[in-house]
């Protein structure tokens, strides 16, 4: 599996178990199982957040003295604290997750003010119309990406200059605000991302095999799964789009474009913690646990 120096203590336990117990399983099935286990482990923060949203939608009483939004904030803080206490995330990774939180909350405050979507009223732990748990949903994306980077020992061939990716990411973030008042250039930005990352491939180590995938395909796949999570969030009433006023319906597939662009921002933020390395570069011996 991944280089031992890039794993937290708990992840080393999983790595050792895989090496010890999966050796006799056919190679193809073994790689598939390890891939699934690693992905599930990387999604832990986001999965726990979704579980909290679903559980409070189904079982939390509407007339409870503690508002559901405030309960979700408390649960989100508890999840993040436990991730650190049990060393499921490292200290320096927390900084990029906090940055995701700030960037996401800033966009949420603006988007709710212009009516792009809205949250249920109630509670005291909010900024304007934005419950504070929303920032943790963006943080969950950051948590997933940094943990995937570590678990799969990600390497990149033909990675574009980081200053170019940073400029495009900044333009994407600005357009999320300005398209309400000016021309929406998101399709131009999608084209820019496609051109810049066209030759870039991601090399990921599963168990005993290292596979390769175009980075653009990875962006699309992650955007798709975020879109699925977004549908779960809206069906549970955690937040609603204007089209949901008369009843729930599937979040438009066009939202995939927004999540694709978000992936660009996310990757750029993560490169401040994990600078992209080529496949043949030796992993740094820093112990991140």
């Amino acid at each position: 599996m991944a280089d031992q120096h890039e794993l937290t203590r708990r992840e080393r336990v999983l790595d050792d178990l895989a090496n010890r117990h999966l050796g006799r399983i056919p190679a193809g099935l073994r790689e598939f199982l390890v891939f699934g286990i690693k992905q599930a482990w990387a999604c832990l923060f986001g999965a726990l957040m979704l579980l909290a949203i679903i559980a409070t939608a189904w079982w939390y009483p509407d007339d409870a003295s503690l508002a559901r939004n405030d309960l979700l904030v408390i649960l989100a803080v508890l999840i993040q604290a436990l991730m650190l206490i049990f060393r499921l995330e490292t200290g320096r990774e927390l900084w990029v997750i906090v940055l995701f939180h700030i960037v996401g909350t800033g966009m949420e405050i603006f988007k709710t003010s212009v009516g792009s979507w809205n949250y249920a009223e109630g509670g005291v732990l909010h900024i304007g119309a934005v419950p504070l748990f929303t920032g943790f949903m963006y943080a969950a994306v950051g948590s997933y990406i940094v943990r995937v980077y570590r678990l799969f020992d990600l390497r990149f061939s033909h990675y574009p200059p980081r200053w170019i990716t940073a400029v495009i990411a900044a333009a994407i973030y600005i357009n999320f605000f300005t398209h309400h008042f000016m021309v929406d250039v998101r399709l131009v930005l999608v084209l820019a991302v496609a051109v810049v990352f066209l030759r870039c491939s991601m090399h990921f180590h599963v168990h005993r095999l290292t596979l390769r995938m175009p980075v653009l395909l990875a962006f699309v796949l992650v955007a798709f799964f975020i879109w699925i999570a977004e549908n779960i969030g809206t069906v549970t009433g955690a937040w609603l789009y204007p089209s949901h006023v008369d009843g729930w319906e599937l979040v438009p597939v066009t939202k995939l474009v927004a999540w694709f662009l978000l992936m660009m921002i996310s990757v750029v933020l993560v490169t401040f913690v994990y600078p992209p390395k080529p496949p043949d570069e030796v992993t740094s011996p820093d112990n991140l646990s």
Side-chain angles (χ1 to χ4, degrees):
M1 292 172 74
D3 188 291
Q4 288 288 319
H5 294 299
E6 294 289 345
L7 301 177
T8 65
R9 293 176 184 175
R10 298 298 181 274
E11 289 162 355
R12 289 194 190 104
V13 172
L14 293 177
D15 192 78
D16 292 340
L17 288 173
N19 286 324
R20 192 179 310 155
H21 298 294
L22 298 181
R24 297 182 180 180
I25 296 176
L29 178 59
R30 181 178 61 240
E31 297 295 322
F32 177 78
L33 289 175
V34 172
F35 180 83
I37 292 169
K38 283 186 173 184
Q39 285 289 344
W41 190 244
C43 290
L44 184 61
F45 193 142
L48 291 175
M49 281 296 300
L50 272 182
L51 181 62
I53 289 172
I54 294 170
T56 54
W58 285 356
W59 295 299
Y60 196 66
D62 294 334
D63 58 353
S65 56
L66 179 66
R68 180 194 177 201
N69 285 345
D70 288 349
L71 176 61
L72 286 172
V73 176
I74 294 170
L75 292 175
V77 172
L78 180 61
I79 291 169
Q80 181 63 83
L82 290 175
M83 295 282 286
L84 292 172
I85 291 171
F86 288 101
R87 297 183 179 274
L88 304 182
E89 288 174 348
T90 66
R92 72 171 185 171
E93 288 170 359
L94 178 63
W95 287 108
V96 75
I97 291 170
V98 169
L99 186 56
F100 270 81
H101 199 297
I102 294 171
V103 168
T105 300
M107 188 167 66
E108 288 284 332
I109 293 171
F110 175 79
K111 289 291 189 177
T112 53
S113 70
V114 297
S116 294
W117 56 77
N118 61 79
Y119 294 91
E121 296 181 355
V124 296
L125 301 176
H126 58 83
I127 300 176
V130 181
L132 294 183
F133 77 84
T134 62
F136 288 93
M137 295 187 296
Y138 291 89
V141 176
S143 174
Y144 168 78
I145 294 175
V146 294
R147 299 183 78 204
V148 160
Y149 199 112
R150 190 175 65 235
L151 287 167
F152 289 93
D153 190 24
L154 295 188
R155 307 298 178 95
F156 300 89
S157 56
H158 303 293
Y159 195 90
R162 277 195 292 170
W163 71 267
I164 294 178
T165 66
V167 168
I168 296 175
I172 290 170
Y173 190 70
I174 292 171
N175 187 69
F176 280 139
F177 296 85
T178 59
H179 81 83
H180 291 278
F181 315 108
M182 301 166 58
V183 176
D184 188 355
V185 295
R186 72 181 64 192
L187 294 182
V188 175
L189 293 169
V190 169
L191 179 61
V193 173
V195 170
V196 168
F197 281 93
L198 183 62
R199 297 178 62 227
C200 183
S201 292
M202 177 178 68
H203 303 254
F204 55 101
H205 188 71
V206 183
H207 181 57
R208 294 178 181 173
L209 293 179
T210 297
L211 305 177
R212 185 173 65 178
M213 174 187 295
V215 166
L216 291 175
L217 177 59
F219 284 5
V220 171
L221 290 175
V222 176
F224 175 72
F225 284 106
I226 295 175
W227 177 76
I228 291 176
E230 186 179 29
N231 277 283
I232 295 173
T234 55
V235 79
T236 58
W239 67 91
L240 296 173
Y241 289 101
S243 60
H244 294 139
V245 173
D246 297 324
W248 184 85
E249 61 182 43
L250 202 66
V251 175
V253 178
T254 52
K255 285 287 290 181
L256 284 170
V257 175
W259 292 122
F260 175 87
L261 293 173
L262 177 69
M263 284 307 304
M264 176 64 182
I265 297 175
S266 303
V267 168
V268 169
L269 291 177
V270 171
T271 58
F272 288 108
V273 174
Y274 291 116
K277 297 174 291 189
D280 56 348
E281 183 175 322
V282 178
T283 304
S284 171
D286 295 335
N287 191 327
L288 300 181
S289 64

